[in-house]
Each structure stands twice: as structure tokens, then as C-alpha cells.
Amino acid sequence: MTSLAFAACLAECASAADWPRFRGPDGTGISRESIAEKGWPEGDLRQIWKTAVGVGFSSPVVSEGRLFISGNQADSDTFYCLDTETGDPLWKHSWDSEVWPYLYEGGVNATATVDGSRVFALGRHGPLFCFEAHTGDVLWQLDLHRDLQLEKPAWGFTSAPLIAGDLLILNAGSHGLALNKTNGKVAWTTGTGDAAYAVPEPFDAYGTPAFIVFGPDSLAAVRRSDGGILWETPWKTQFKVNAAQPILRNNQMFVSSAYDFGCALLEVEAGGTREIWRNKDMQNHFNTCVLIGDHLYGISGTEASKATLRCMEFATGKVEWTETGSGLGSVIAAQDTLIVLSDRGELQFAKASPEAYQVDYRSQVLGGKCWTPPCLAHGRIYCRNAAGDLVAVAAP
């Protein structure tokens, strides 16, 4: 199959979409675009552009021809708006911020969220900005730690902002925080205590709109209207590193943490959760699985040399296959095609199948440490490494 055919396949106009938030349009890690099995080109993917954005781990997000991302240089954080065609800055905004290399390179962790003409960005030490997406004008800002007295988590504020109607929801404070997205005024708080790192997950609590907030010691169901706690399930892990997203399907929730803790499938009931199964066979450290059909696909492990890519049956927790070589990389998908970025910058494409992991195509797109999930938007894949190299690639 020719490269032209592959390019047409990768950039299928009918299904192309923006990637405006962490883990994509629906927060599932799955793009609406398709990569059909029409053959693969020879050689590496074509580099469209490459630029440097500074140290950090925030994922790129894309909306209306603009890419948003953060990085740190010389103890200064910068939030960038880049042209997706060229990689050139359209605008940027900087503020003083210690890089804070606590057991890793440091820098900004939280991914931005685009909501119409606004984009929301959260710094690791607590500054929160609402920008006009096209001009970069600061519409409002506050500091979660300084202004609201919220305790700073061990690895900083990391959760991407979540938009829910008129509210901006953050995993900050004891069990989450809600702000008016228009002006930044506090709608409700749940206390000033420690927080963890996953994005709040919206769900319907038997007719009551709510969020699952993954805290340092528990999973809490928080009422959307006023922040009231509906129920709380203990989930106490070593170092309080609860970073991977809970995955909800109907009234069941998959949860996973690393450091030898493991995973579980929980039945979400009116007054709490009931455990269906639990094991240590999928240990998501900071990158979340994708759920395709009846199976989860994700990275399990804490150490790069021992981490594995695995396929697990959602209903039973049975491991279908295990593959080495991706290290502490990440997994997203384009419909039923897995897109795996290894922790050393190799992209792999493989059909999501419980039968086996069969790589159809691979391409080295970056070097260095690549812990950050890529994004796929309009036929292009955007990847970054810890040092801040950001690359846009497409088919030859």
C-alpha cells in the first residue's frame, strides 16, 4: 500500500476531530478518528515540525488549529498556544515557578482544557489561569495554594481541569473543588486537605449528577450541585500515588494503582461500592488504560525495566497477554487501533485484540523520557518528552 493511501487513512476527514482535553474528546483516551487496515508505509512517520517547550509532563491538546501545552525553563513556567500547521507560537504566557525536580525532572504536570473560546491551565504549585484561547488574554486567575489555602500534593497539582456545565472541577482539596468557569469564583469546596492526581470523573449516581474524585486514600462520590459526599470507598496506596483515571462503564468502575497495589472492578451502588474482583495484574502508575470492547489495554508497573503492556478482561480481571519493551509509556487509541508511545519515544500501532499484541507499524519519533500520552487530532500525532521536545508527525 502506498504512503498516500496510508496518509488518507490516517487523516480521514469524515472522522477527524479535535483533542481538546486530557485523554481526548470524551476523556476515554480514544480518538474519533480511524486508522483502518489499509497497509502501512515503509520508514518512519514524517516529522511536520519540532519545537522546545520546556521541562514538564503535560499532554498536548488541540482545538481549532491551536495546540496548547506547558513547560518550565529556568524556573519559569510558560503556557504556549502553537499553530498546529507550523509549531510557531501564536501567544504564550509565563510566570515564576520552581521546576521542582522531586524524584523526576519536574515541571508542569497538568494538561490544559479547552472549552469553546476559553482555555484553562493549572500550574504545579497552584496557579490557575483562564485564557481567551485565540488572544491569550487572561480572563481570570487565582492560586489554589495561596488564595484558597489548599494543601499542595506531594508531586504538586496535577489533575487537568474538568468542565461540567458552568462549573470548573478540580482534584484539589480534600475531595475536589468547583469554581464558576466564567469568573473563577468558588462554587463549593470539600476542605483544604491533600489531593491526588487523577481528573474527577463525572457519573450519574442513581439520578444525582456527581463526580468520582480519586483522592490520596479513597474514591469519593461528590455531588455536583454542592460538593456533598455521597459515599467514600477506601483506596490506600503507598506514597498516595493515585494517578490513573477510574474507568466507568455503566455501573461498574475499574480502578488501578501501582507500587504493588493492583486493581479492582467495583460495582457502584446507591450507597457505595461493592468489589467484584481484585488482583495485582494491572498496576497503572500514572498512565491510564483504554477500554475497547470488553478489554482494557494499558501499562502495568512502577519501574521502566519491569513495566509491561497488558490486555485484561474488564469483567473478570483475566490477563489475556503481556508484552515487554514499552517501559513506562502510554496507550491511546484511534477507534480500535492501539497507539502506544514507549517511554523512549517509539510509536507503535496495533489492532486492539485480546488474542495477541501484533504491531502493524512502528516509528521512532522522539528520544529521551516519554511518559506523557500523545494526542491524535486531524491525522497528526503530537508527542512530547520530559525535556520539552514536542513533535508533530504524520504519514509520509
Side-chain angles (χ1 to χ4, degrees), residues 19-38:
W19 187 281
R21 54 173 288 198
F22 183 62
R23 286 175 52 78
D26 303 313
T28 60
I30 302 173
S31 172
R32 298 167 187 166
E33 300 187 30
S34 66
I35 299 178
E37 295 181 6
K38 295 181 181 178

Side-chain angles (χ1 to χ4, degrees), residues 82-394:
L82 307 179
D83 187 322
T84 57
E85 291 299 316
T86 63
D88 294 333
L90 297 174
W91 57 262
K92 57 185 178 180
H93 183 88
S94 300
W95 62 94
D96 291 339
S97 180
E98 181 186 355
V99 69
W100 195 10
Y102 178 36
L103 302 180
Y104 72 120
E105 288 80 355
V108 183
N109 292 330
T111 297
T113 300
V114 183
D115 179 52
S117 62
R118 297 176 179 233
V119 57
F120 301 89
L122 175 62
R124 189 172 168 206
H125 299 279
L128 175 66
F129 299 90
C130 174
F131 298 104
E132 207 291 323
H134 290 80
T135 65
D137 292 340
V138 177
L139 301 179
W140 58 260
Q141 69 181 84
L142 60 82
D143 192 294
L144 303 183
H145 182 58
R146 185 188 62 234
D147 299 334
L148 302 184
Q149 304 299 306
L150 301 188
E151 185 174 340
K152 190 186 302 183
W155 280 272
F157 293 100
T158 295
S159 167
L162 173 71
I163 300 298
D166 293 331
L167 296 178
L168 177 68
I169 310 297
L170 294 165
N171 190 344
S174 303
H175 298 293
L177 166 72
L179 305 174
N180 182 306
K181 72 177 185 181
T182 301
N183 56 29
K185 301 296 184 183
V186 174
W188 48 256
T189 64
T190 57
T192 60
D194 197 9
Y197 309 100
V199 181
E201 192 72 29
F203 81 113
D204 185 296
Y206 290 85
T208 300
F211 307 98
I212 298 292
V213 178
F214 203 1
D217 297 308
S218 69
L219 296 142
V222 181
R223 193 163 46 233
R224 173 174 164 170
S225 60
D226 61 4
I229 308 302
L230 300 175
W231 49 258
E232 190 172 1
T233 295
W235 192 271
K236 296 187 177 183
T237 57
Q238 192 175 15
F239 310 121
K240 300 183 178 183
V241 179
N242 293 328
Q245 293 296 118
I247 296 176
L248 288 156
R249 185 175 70 175
N250 299 323
N251 60 339
Q252 295 183 335
M253 176 172 59
F254 173 80
V255 191
S256 180
S257 297
Y259 296 102
D260 199 40
F261 192 82
C263 59
L265 185 67
L266 307 176
E267 185 86 13
V268 179
E269 301 177 335
T273 62
R274 177 179 58 84
E275 187 176 301
I276 299 173
W277 58 258
R278 179 185 291 260
N279 63 44
K280 294 185 178 182
D281 293 335
M282 183 71 81
Q283 298 185 35
N284 296 146
H285 189 190
F286 34 73
N287 284 323
T288 309
C289 293
V290 293
L291 175 60
I292 300 175
D294 295 324
H295 291 85
L296 296 152
Y297 302 85
I299 302 292
S300 178
T302 307
E303 301 177 37
S305 61
K306 299 179 181 179
T308 56
L309 174 64
R310 292 186 172 184
C311 171
M312 171 178 279
E313 188 174 39
F314 184 82
T316 66
K318 175 188 175 185
V319 174
E320 303 287 4
W321 49 255
T322 298
E323 289 288 329
T324 60
S326 295
L328 292 174
S330 56
V331 183
I332 63 169
Q335 296 189 12
D336 63 351
T337 297
L338 300 177
I339 301 173
V340 179
L341 179 64
S342 80
D343 66 359
R344 292 301 170 190
E346 183 185 67
L347 274 174
Q348 302 174 4
F349 298 125
K351 183 175 175 58
S353 169
E355 301 300 321
Y357 183 63
Q358 181 63 50
V359 176
D360 294 309
Y361 180 75
R362 63 179 75 228
S363 179
Q364 189 74 36
V365 297
L366 273 178
K369 179 186 289 183
C370 298
W371 284 357
T372 300
C375 81
L376 168 62
H378 303 280
R380 295 179 178 179
I381 300 175
Y382 302 89
C383 308
R384 77 165 301 162
N385 62 20
D389 298 319
L390 173 66
V391 65
V393 297

Side-chain angles (χ1 to χ4, degrees), residues 38-68:
K38 295 181 181 178
W40 306 91
E42 294 183 1
D44 287 337
L45 294 172
R46 174 173 57 94
Q47 180 177 296
I48 301 170
W49 52 259
K50 185 177 183 181
T51 191
V53 296
V55 175
F57 293 84
S58 67
S59 295
V61 295
V62 171
S63 176
E64 297 182 351
R66 290 169 167 79
L67 182 147
F68 301 96

